[in-house]
Structures are given as C-alpha cells and as structure tokens.
Amino acid sequence: MKINSQGKITLAHGSGGSATRDLIAELFSARFSNPILDRLEDSAVLARPEGGIALTTDSYVITPLVFPGGDIGKLAVCGTVNDLWMMGAKPLYLTAGFIIEEGLDFSTLEYVAESMAREAARQGVAIVTGDTKVVDKGSGSGGLYICTSGLGSRVFEGVSVEKLLGREHLRDGDAVLVSGALGNHHACILSQRLGIDNTIASDCAGLGSMVRALLQEGIRVKLMRDITRGGLATVLNEFLREDLCIQLEETAIPVDEDVAALCGLLGLDPLYMANEGKFVCVVECDDTAQALKVLRRDELGRQAAVIGTVEPRSLGEPGVFLRTSLGGMRVVDVLYGEGLPRIC
Amino acid sequence: MKINSQGKITLAHGSGGSATRDLIAELFSARFSNPILDRLEDSAVLARPEGGIALTTDSYVITPLVFPGGDIGKLAVCGTVNDLWMMGAKPLYLTAGFIIEEGLDFSTLEYVAESMAREAARQGVAIVTGDTKVVDKGSGSGGLYICTSGLGSRVFEGVSVEKLLGREHLRDGDAVLVSGALGNHHACILSQRLGIDNTIASDCAGLGSMVRALLQEGIRVKLMRDITRGGLATVLNEFLREDLCIQLEETAIPVDEDVAALCGLLGLDPLYMANEGKFVCVVECDDTAQALKVLRRDELGRQAAVIGTVEPRSLGEPGVFLRTSLGGMRVVDVLYGEGLPRIC
C-alpha cells in the first residue's frame, strides 16, 4: 500500500487517483469483500428483496474513535442495523461512506475497518458499496466520520411485519418495556472525554436477536425504538399520539450501579442519556409477561424490564410522566438541547 | 424556529432534543416533505421495487458550499442519482445525512436544503429519511458535509437493464462517447478557490434524461460512468479488461474555450479534471451514430462526441492511449494523486 512514510492518510488518498484505488482495495475491499462490493461499480446491483423494504441512514461523528465496548466502526454498523430492526426489517445491505481527516493514522483506519467487517458479519449484513473522501487537516473532528445507510427486508424467516408496527396501534393499557439498563454508552464516552477513571463500557450492540425473537414469538409489538441520542425521555415523547400518555415507574427503570454513581457525580439523568444497544418497545397488555420472558432469554436482554404503561391523555396534558421513587409524579419533557455534555 | 439570535446553528441543534426536532421539522421536513419521510421513523418503509435494485452512497465535502452552477445540495442529489443511472437504475429514493459545523449560518443551510428539494423534484426522487449531526466549530470543512445514498430500480418504463451492462460485454471495435465538454466543474471550483475571475460554471446536473433515452432507443450500451473525481483518464482505466485497451483522439475530446484557457494558465489536464454532469459510455460499434444522435438531442448532450475506440491489448501493455493533436501517441495513466489542486 502506497501510504506515506509516517503511515498517515494524505489528501492523495482522496484524490480519486491510484492512491484512492489502493486505499479502497487494500484497506476496505480486502476486509468487506463480497461478490457485490467486489465489482466496485458506481452503485451496487442487488437482487429484488422478498417483501417491502426499509431504508435508513446515519452519520457517526463520535470521539474518541475507539472506546471501551466499541469503536466508531462497530457503532456505525450496530446503529444502522438497529434502525432497520426497529421498523421490523431484517438488515440485508449496508453502504459505508468515510470522511477521513488528512493525517489520520493508517493503523486507526485499519482497526475501524476491521471492526466494521467483524460486526457486519456478526449482524449478517453485507457492505455492498462505499465512498471515501479525505479532508484537510483540522477539518475533521477526531479524524474520521462514517456515514452508513442500511437496506432491510420486512419479510424474513416466515415473519412478515408489513403494516404491523406503528403509532396507530397504540392504546390505553399497553405495556412499555426496555431491553436493558440505561445510560452506559453516554456514561462511557463522557468518562473517556473527561478522563474519569472507571470501568463503564459502551453498550454498543446489534438488537436483531431480541427483535427477531419478539416477532417470531408472535408478540404484538406496537412500536420499537432504539434509545440513542436524546435518551428514553426523548424517544417516548416522540412515540406519542395526542390522545395517549405514558406513565413510567422510576424504580422499575434499570440503571447499572457504576452508571448511577457517575450520574450522581455529574448530575446526569439516565432518562436523557444515549445508549447504543438498548431499545424500548410498547406491547399489547396481554403479551407483557411473554415479551419480558423473550427479552430476558437473550444475553443482551438479561436486565429487560417493564417500566411503564400507556394511558389516556386529555388535550394539552404532557405526554410522559414519571412516578419517582418517593411516590411523587414529575413530567418527563424533551429538553431543548442535551442538558448535559455532548457526546455526539 | 428556536435558532439563536445570530441565526447560527448551535450544538443544541444536534443534541437529539427539541432543538434537533425543530431543525428537522422546520428546515428539512418542511422542504423534503413526502408521505414516507413525514412519518419520521427510524427508517423509511418502502414498497417493494419492480425489479432488481441498485444502491449507492456518496459523501460531499466541497467548498465553497455555493458556486456558479450549483451548491453542495444540488451536487449531492445529482451525484447520487447519476451513480444509479450509470448502473441503468432509475432513482427512486434518496437518504440525506447532514454533518453541520456549529456556527454555520442558518440561511446557508436553508439555501442548500431548498436547492436539494428542488433538484430532487427535478430528478423525480423522494428524500425518504435522513440524519443530522452538529460538530464543534472548526471540526467541519466549510461548515457542512452531506452524505447521500440512493436506491433505484433496474426495471422502469418498459426498460429492463437486468444483466445488460458490465465489463464482460466490452469488445474490440466498441465506440467510446462522452456526453459533453470536460473539466467545467473542476475549473469552476478551482477558480472560486483561487479567486480567479471568470464565467466558468459547474456542469452539475442529473444525467437521467440522456441515459433513459439511450436505453429506451435500444442502444447496446456496454458501460457507462459519470466522469467525476479523477476525471476521464481514471474512469477509462477503471473500465478496462486486461485484454482490451482504449485509444482516444485528443482532437475529438470536447473542452470549452474558457476551461481550456484556464487549463493552459494553470497547467491542468482536462483528462484528469472532475465533472458533475458528464458521463462516458461504451457502445456497440454499429450503434455509434445513433447513440451520438440520441445524446445530442438532449440539452445536456449538445456537445456529445465520439472520442475513441476499444481495441485489443497485449499482456502488460498500458490500457489507455491518446493520439495527440500532433499525431503522437501518449499513454494516459492513472495519477497517484490528482496532479492538480484538490477540489474535493
């Protein structure tokens, strides 16, 4: 590979010339290799999917690029497949765009690409096309952005989720479940940024096995959302219809001890913290116990919990309430900003 | 819209809170509105396309953000639909990811979004899902990156291009055509960067009408590529099979006078310059005249020309030759970098 003597990415690697070709061939194609990608065409030609499809996109701008529990590459793959699973679509194909800052260590890029390839294999998706740009030094935060898109099929393994999910199915009495403890990713990144010494790792993970299990068991899932930027509070407020509200039980919301400790220290609220391997779902009341069982059966769902219920709402009332551990009620609103240090 | 008093983007707009929601709703959704996007789900749920599909992705990092003939938004839409058309796929859906530098003028973002919406409508594609991130000041080159992906169908309007295109169809005697003059986009951006006063505008445009016409007229198109980063020389070298070479006629390659003048001034070679509204195609020898007629019928193809032919190649020989205006032959290789000032 014609990298410069310091093992750094240079502007030439983004020129479209042979340096770009070599970078793509030896760093990306070598790791992501599959029959579709290997054609290196302007766009990937794919077979017609089985049923209706879902399409999603995300940009990843996180620093540090590598952190306990993951890295920007693993994050990009997991975040994208999770957005598809949340719409009941099985991820089939990913695209990957890399915006690289001149001067980025080649070894870092190799590490991230390696991690992406490993995670894509784990999640059962093929990276079928991509793009590489190199920007001037100082123009890229942390040296690397990754933009991924994902295409999934809503008919898979006998399961068809066509028209299954959506706000319109919500109703009074539905149960609200989370798949695990809240705040780990946010707490991890923040600790890294602030140099706080602890063992908190990001929860960065693909949610496919839990979602697949819920759908295959025939659980009547009304809505699913991965709990990322903005946290549970924001996600739940986005769920709502004007005629419904959600009542949460603070004592039922799982938060790991070390994360709770950090929150106490910095005055953070786990309800607004980002996760990268957790989702919240609303299921038919009668399916609550079975849904919980299905989630807890999964290694990633051991701490799954029923955290609240959907209830009627009168016009103008807030949409999300929290019954605190002391028995008081407080409104859980959407913040203007994050209300805490930015991590993405 | 809750923007700050100076009308600038702030980190809060990327927080995932209500500022993000407002930004997306009032700036993007309002302009890109369609029934799929308006659901604002984690991913866009789409109908099953008619035939085989094509998927592409690109990241746009150009400065200046607005230039004669276009802007980063128009560029993103055209570049993405062009990549789909080059594989014989009619663009159906786009995704748009925005990485915005804190402090970017809100009015600039409005201008770019407006331009994207207009161009998407012109190209007949819907922007069905997106993502917005805000990065610290100084972390974004020129204040804005746009990452787009596109999904297209390879069966449309009675045309099926399944298995039609590909290297394997190339053969001795095929004709090489370009859809217009070379170097305009590159020359335009360079002039803007260097403060050179001229009237050169980018050729930024969607190539759909020309490609559609070629396919509908039944022209036997072997390969098509839009001539972007790396220029014609790079594209042609990527075309090649080991058993074939391409011989170009320098005098046949269209270059506008003002672009040629700038190239003379700066010592640039149009063969390596980026375009954003031009493509090269290789067609069956017998179809050459008809293909040229079809291209020139289109407003964007008035300067279309036959610039070379595909010929046999012995092992180890270079892949692209140019017969110069003086009758000499020179090898047209792929450069390591751009060999000229970077524009993207």
Side-chain angles (χ1 to χ4, degrees), chain B residues 5-63:
Chain B
S5 53
Q6 294 81 39
K8 308 268 190 199
I9 295 293
T10 69
L11 285 175
H13 290 110
S15 66
S18 68
T20 306
R21 190 188 56 205
D22 294 346
L23 179 72
I24 292 170
E26 295 174 35
L27 199 145
F28 297 122
S29 304
R31 289 174 173 82
F32 301 160
S33 177
N34 61 64
I36 302 167
L37 180 70
D38 296 350
R39 290 181 65 90
L40 295 176
E41 303 282 10
D42 281 332
S43 53
V45 172
L46 311 169
R48 187 183 186 201
E50 210 185 319
I53 57 182
L55 184 64
T56 188
T57 193
D58 258 312
S59 305
Y60 296 86
V61 299
I62 195 164
T63 51

Side-chain angles (χ1 to χ4, degrees), chain A residues 54-340:
Chain A
L55 184 64
T56 187
T57 193
D58 258 311
S59 305
Y60 296 86
V61 299
I62 195 165
T63 52
L65 295 176
V66 179
F67 46 83
D71 59 85
I72 191 172
K74 181 185 180 188
L75 193 63
V77 173
C78 292
T80 306
V81 300
N82 287 346
D83 278 346
L84 291 172
W85 278 117
M86 291 304 111
M87 296 308 295
K90 180 187 183 182
L92 300 173
Y93 307 110
L94 293 189
T95 71
F98 297 86
I99 299 175
I100 307 166
E101 181 185 2
E102 173 191 27
L104 176 67
D105 283 331
F106 192 75
S107 58
T108 304
L109 197 55
E110 272 183 313
Y111 180 93
V112 169
E114 195 66 46
S115 170
M116 279 186 89
R118 205 181 312 114
E119 196 58 36
R122 191 178 293 134
Q123 302 302 326
V125 289
I127 297 170
V128 292
T129 186
D131 178 58
T132 306
K133 295 286 190 303
V134 178
V135 295
D136 297 350
K137 190 156 188 59
S139 328
S141 148
L144 177 64
Y145 299 140
I146 298 180
C147 310
T148 43
S149 290
L151 182 71
S153 169
R154 303 188 80 219
V155 176
F156 60 95
E157 295 153 27
V159 176
S160 170
V161 293
E162 309 279 348
K163 301 187 189 58
L164 176 65
L165 310 169
R167 258 180 214 77
E168 57 274 24
H169 300 274
L170 290 174
R171 69 171 205 214
D172 178 15
D174 288 339
V176 180
L177 291 80
V178 289
S179 65
L182 299 185
N184 300 58
H185 177 71
H186 208 137
C188 167
I189 299 305
L190 222 47
S191 302
Q192 296 295 312
R193 293 262 189 88
L194 304 176
I196 299 173
D197 182 25
N198 59 34
T199 59
I200 300 173
S202 168
D203 56 328
C204 178
L207 300 167
S209 56
M210 281 184 283
V211 174
R212 184 192 265 116
L214 285 174
L215 297 173
Q216 284 176 334
E217 296 268 342
I219 304 291
R220 285 162 291 177
V221 180
K222 310 292 183 79
L223 272 175
M224 294 185 283
R225 278 291 199 318
D226 50 339
I227 309 168
T228 55
R229 187 174 58 165
L232 179 68
T234 307
V235 170
L236 289 182
N237 276 282
E238 286 174 355
F239 263 179
L240 291 170
R241 286 207 318 251
E242 282 188 344
D243 59 334
L244 295 171
C245 70
I246 290 173
Q247 190 164 136
L248 300 173
E249 293 294 331
E250 185 173 34
T251 55
I253 299 171
V255 179
D256 291 340
E257 254 179 38
D258 48 4
V259 172
L262 184 76
C263 291
L265 186 72
L266 300 177
L268 306 176
D269 183 345
L271 288 180
Y272 293 95
M273 291 166 73
N275 313 265
E276 289 294 344
K278 304 290 159 56
F279 72 108
V280 55
C281 59
V282 180
V283 306
E284 179 74 27
C285 175
D286 308 345
D287 296 351
T288 311
Q290 181 61 11
L292 190 61
K293 204 174 112 193
V294 170
L295 290 175
R296 287 189 170 166
R297 218 165 48 199
D298 192 287
E299 199 193 327
L300 293 171
R302 294 237 175 87
Q303 294 170 275
V306 181
I307 60 168
T309 54
V310 173
E311 299 186 2
R313 169 187 190 184
S314 352
L315 199 64
E317 256 186 21
V320 183
F321 296 90
L322 180 77
R323 185 191 310 279
T324 68
S325 49
L326 304 172
M329 293 288 277
R330 78 170 167 92
V331 173
V332 178
D333 215 339
V334 177
L335 301 181
Y336 171 68
E338 247 170 338
L340 42 82

Side-chain angles (χ1 to χ4, degrees), chain B residues 112-129:
Chain B
V112 169
E114 194 66 45
S115 171
M116 281 186 86
R118 204 182 314 115
E119 196 58 35
R122 190 178 294 135
Q123 300 304 325
V125 290
I127 297 170
V128 292
T129 186

